[in-house]
Structures are given as structure tokens and as C-alpha cells.
């Protein structure tokens, strides 16, 4: 135990389709945490995984009382599961990490050591991500779009993995938004932060549960809950189209004045009508999506429900 070791260190990890990884995850965490803190707790949140993840978590709980398990009533999503674990964490410092062992437990001591240098949170940077080319490309594209829309720099090498002081966790937990995305919530709350380059391992078993459609839906929700810039861009586009229409009207009036009017054609009318109709439908759809998210928020339903 280091001289400034925390009295209690918490580790929160959402679990989904990871029944073959739970035992190794706990074993490696215990080996790392025992010399690092006076006491620790490992909180594993089963996001209603369809495999035997909950049975594996229960087995680890019977073996070690420092392992705590939560099972949600249905699949609420990774970030809601993280919130469920954070709600029950008690440590002065809290580590958040994925369960697939791509986030290496062996990096936790380095994260904590850097945090002791005067930082409230230390984020792990995956400088050499061991993911598929398509996954990395989608991630870079999403973060570039998110950076543009939120006007805040976003780092595609940073995900959930990091160590956070209790006051950072308290600030994040105060954000009870219907759409939870832990990295942007952490960025929004501020505090003194540092970054540490860490090794990123290949997925130990299985494959990611995030399909392309699920990733796109999640990305759309994250953008809509973090910025209203799409609405502002829509207003600017409308003003641009209006200006273009006025300019064309002026040109036509001038040509009519000098007697150079061509015979009107149906093609141009149909194309312009379809274009404007499409723009109106897109605008109404975008506004409707924002209204839908507002509706979800005002219902104030719980972010998750614990079954066991």
C-alpha cells in the first residue's frame, strides 16, 4: 500500500455478454488493487445480459465479499449501467472501465499515481487502439462531427476508462439526463484533468454488442442531448435558401423588364417543389426529434431499474 493510498477505492464496470471474462476480470483487478488501497470494492453491473454473466458475477460475490453485483431489470445501455454502478460506489477514487479486458486493470496504478500529482481525474488515452478498422473509422468520424457541433474538442482515443475523484463522480451523478454518455458528461463537469497513454488490448473473447444501427442511434442521441447546433444550422440554411430565392426572383424580374423571358418549364418547378418539400420535411423531423427528447426528459423516468 502506498503512503497516500485511498482508504477505499471503487471499480465500476458494466457487464454485457461477458460471462467468460468475469472471473479473469475480477482476478486481475484483485491482484492489482490489493497492494494499491487499504480497501476496495469491485462493482459489476449486469445490463441484463442474455448469457450467464449474472451467474458468474454471483459466483465471484460468494468468493470475495469485496465484489458487488447489480442486475438491471432490462437492457438499459452501457452508460446507464455505469450510472447504476456509480450510484452505489463509495470510494474516494473511482475507476470506470469496460468488462472486455481491452481496458487493462494493470494500468490502474499508473492512473492513480498521476492523479496524486494534483488532478481530480485522469483519463486513459488509447493511443494504439486494438479495434477493427471500421470501428475506429466510425469513432473518428463521430467525434469530428461532435467536435464541430458542440464546439468543444473531443478526443476519439478517450472512452470510459479513467480514475475519478469522488467530487467528480458527484457532479456527474447530478446530471440525470435521459440519454447518458459518460465521456461527454465527464468533459462537461470540468475539474483538473490529466491524460495518460495506456496500452489497449484486443477483446479477450466474443465481439462487441454494438451493431452499426445501434451505434448510429446512440450517436444521434448524444448529439441531440449535447447541442442545439443542428437547429441553428437549419435556420441558417433556411435563410440561405430564402436569399437565393429572392436573388432568383430579382434576376427574373430584371429579365422580364428587358423583355428576355424564357418559356417556363415544368421540370424546374417540380425539382424546386421537391427540394423545398424535402427541406421542410427534414426541418420538421429534426424539430420533432428534439421535441421527442424533451418529452423523454420531462417524464422523469428512472435511468435504470435494479432487479437484483
Amino acid at each position: 500500500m502506498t503512503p497516500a493510498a485511498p482508504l477505499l477505492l471503487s471499480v465500476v464496470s458494466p457487464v454485457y455478454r461477458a460471462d467468460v471474462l468475469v472471473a479473469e476480470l475480477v482476478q486481475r483487478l484483485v491482484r492489482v488493487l490489493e497492494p494499491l488501497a487499504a480497501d476496495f470494492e469491485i462493482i459489476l453491473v449486469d445490463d441484463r445480459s442474455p448469457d450467464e454473466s449474472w451467474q458468474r458475477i454471483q459466483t465471484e460475490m460468494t468468493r470475495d465479499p469485496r465484489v458487488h453485483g447489480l442486475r438491471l431489470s432490462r437492457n438499459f445501455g452501457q452508460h446507464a449501467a455505469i450510472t447504476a454502478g456509480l450510484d452505489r460506489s463509495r470510494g474516494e477514487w473511482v475507476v470506470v472501465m469496460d468488462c472486455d479486458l481491452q481496458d487493462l486493470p494493470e494500468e490502474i496504478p499508473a492512473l492513480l499515481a498521476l492523479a496524486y500529482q494534483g488532478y481530480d481525474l485522469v483519463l486513459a488515452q488509447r493511443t494504439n487502439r486494438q479495434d477493427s478498422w471500421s470501428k475506429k473509422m466510425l469513432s473518428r468520424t463521430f467525434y469530428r462531427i461532435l467536435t464541430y457541433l458542440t464546439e468543444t474538442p473531443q478526443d476519439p482515443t478517450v472512452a470510459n476508462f479513467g480514475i475519478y475523484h469522488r467530487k467528480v463522480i458527484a457532479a456527474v451523478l447530478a446530471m440525470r439526463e435521459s440519454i447518458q454518455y459518460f465521456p461527454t458528461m465527464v468533459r462537461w463537469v470540468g475539474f483538473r484533468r490529466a491524460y495518460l497513454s495506456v496500452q489497449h488490448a484486443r477483446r479477450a473473447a466474443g465481439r462487441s454488442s454494438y451493431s452499426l444501427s445501434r451505434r448510429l442511434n446512440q450517436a444521434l442521441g448524444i448529439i441531440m442531448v449535447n447541442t442545439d447546433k443542428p437547429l441553428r444550422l437549419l435556420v441558417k440554411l433556411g435563410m440561405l435558401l430564402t436569399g437565393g430565392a429572392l436573388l432568383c426572383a430579382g434576376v427574373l424580374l430584371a429579365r422580364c423588364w428587358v423583355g428576355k423571358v424564357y418559356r417556363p418549364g415544368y421540370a424546374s418547378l417540380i425539382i424546386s417543389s421537391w427540394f423545398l418539400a424535402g427541406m421542410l420535411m427534414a426541418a420538421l423531423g429534426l424539430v420533432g426529434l428534439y421535441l421527442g427528447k424533451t418529452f423523454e426528459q420531462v417524464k422523469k423516468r428512472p435511468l435504470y431499474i435494479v432487479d437484483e
Side-chain angles (χ1 to χ4, degrees):
M1 185 175 68
T2 61
L7 295 178
L8 178 62
L9 179 64
S10 301
V11 177
V12 173
S13 181
V15 178
Y16 191 77
R17 293 187 183 274
D19 53 353
V20 299
L21 299 175
V22 170
E24 182 182 353
L25 173 65
V26 171
Q27 180 184 13
R28 289 170 63 176
L29 281 172
V30 169
R31 186 167 60 243
V32 167
L33 296 176
E34 280 185 335
L36 198 62
D39 194 11
F40 63 87
E41 59 181 5
I42 300 171
I43 303 174
L44 303 177
V45 184
D46 174 27
D47 194 18
R48 206 69 186 192
S49 182
D51 58 12
E52 296 185 358
S53 293
W54 179 240
Q55 288 77 9
R56 300 292 184 270
I57 293 173
Q58 288 179 310
T59 300
E60 297 304 320
M61 290 167 61
T62 58
R63 292 176 178 172
D64 193 331
R66 296 169 297 187
V67 179
H68 307 283
L70 297 173
R71 191 185 196 197
L72 303 186
S73 63
R74 66 170 178 84
N75 180 254
F76 285 89
Q78 179 188 32
H79 299 279
I82 290 175
T83 300
L86 294 178
D87 277 336
R88 285 155 180 78
S89 66
R90 300 175 293 116
E92 175 190 2
W93 291 93
V94 181
V95 175
V96 177
M97 62 184 298
D98 294 340
C99 68
D100 56 11
L101 292 175
Q102 288 191 276
D103 298 334
L104 299 178
E106 291 76 17
E107 297 285 359
I108 294 176
L111 293 170
L112 183 60
L114 183 54
Y116 281 155
Q117 296 180 21
Y119 298 103
D120 299 313
L121 64 156
V122 179
L123 302 172
Q125 282 186 315
R126 305 162 297 171
T127 53
N128 186 23
R129 289 182 60 179
Q130 300 298 314
D131 290 318
S132 65
W133 175 85
S134 59
K135 185 176 180 179
K136 289 188 285 188
M137 181 193 69
L138 287 172
S139 178
R140 286 195 298 266
T141 302
F142 166 68
Y143 277 105
R144 284 175 182 171
I145 295 173
L146 190 61
T147 295
Y148 171 71
L149 292 177
T150 61
E151 299 175 354
T152 302
Q154 306 288 337
D155 189 349
T157 66
V158 175
N160 303 317
F161 192 25
I163 190 165
Y164 311 87
H165 191 269
R166 171 52 52 185
K167 63 182 179 182
V168 178
I169 297 301
V172 169
L173 290 178
M175 304 168 64
R176 311 304 284 191
E177 297 164 354
S178 59
I179 298 177
Q180 300 273 300
Y181 188 63
F182 187 69
T184 56
M185 295 164 70
V186 166
R187 181 175 294 277
W188 187 88
V189 299
F191 295 105
R192 293 168 295 177
R193 70 187 61 215
Y195 297 86
L196 180 68
S197 296
V198 300
Q199 292 185 352
H200 189 240
R202 292 187 179 276
R203 189 177 178 90
R207 61 179 184 177
S208 174
S209 60
Y210 279 96
S211 63
L212 177 60
S213 61
R214 188 174 180 181
R215 289 181 187 278
L216 292 176
N217 288 333
Q218 183 189 51
L220 180 61
I222 293 167
I223 289 171
M224 296 184 67
V225 81
N226 282 284
T227 178
D228 64 350
K229 193 171 183 177
L231 292 175
R232 290 184 276 123
L233 290 175
L234 196 59
V235 171
K236 293 178 181 178
L237 179 59
M239 295 175 65
L240 182 63
L241 290 175
T242 301
L246 291 174
L247 180 62
C248 290
V251 171
L252 289 175
L253 286 174
R255 295 179 67 86
C256 181
W257 183 262
V258 298
K260 295 183 179 180
V261 178
Y262 295 111
R263 180 180 299 176
Y266 290 105
S268 59
L269 290 174
I270 292 174
I271 291 173
S272 60
S273 297
W274 284 5
F275 176 74
L276 291 175
M279 289 300 304
L280 287 173
M281 292 178 66
L284 289 173
L286 184 59
V287 173
L289 287 173
Y290 272 96
L291 286 175
K293 299 303 178 185
T294 304
F295 174 65
E296 290 180 7
Q297 186 68 29
V298 299
K299 286 190 293 187
K300 294 185 178 180
R301 291 182 177 178
L303 300 177
Y304 59 87
I305 300 172
V306 176
D307 182 16
E308 300 181 57

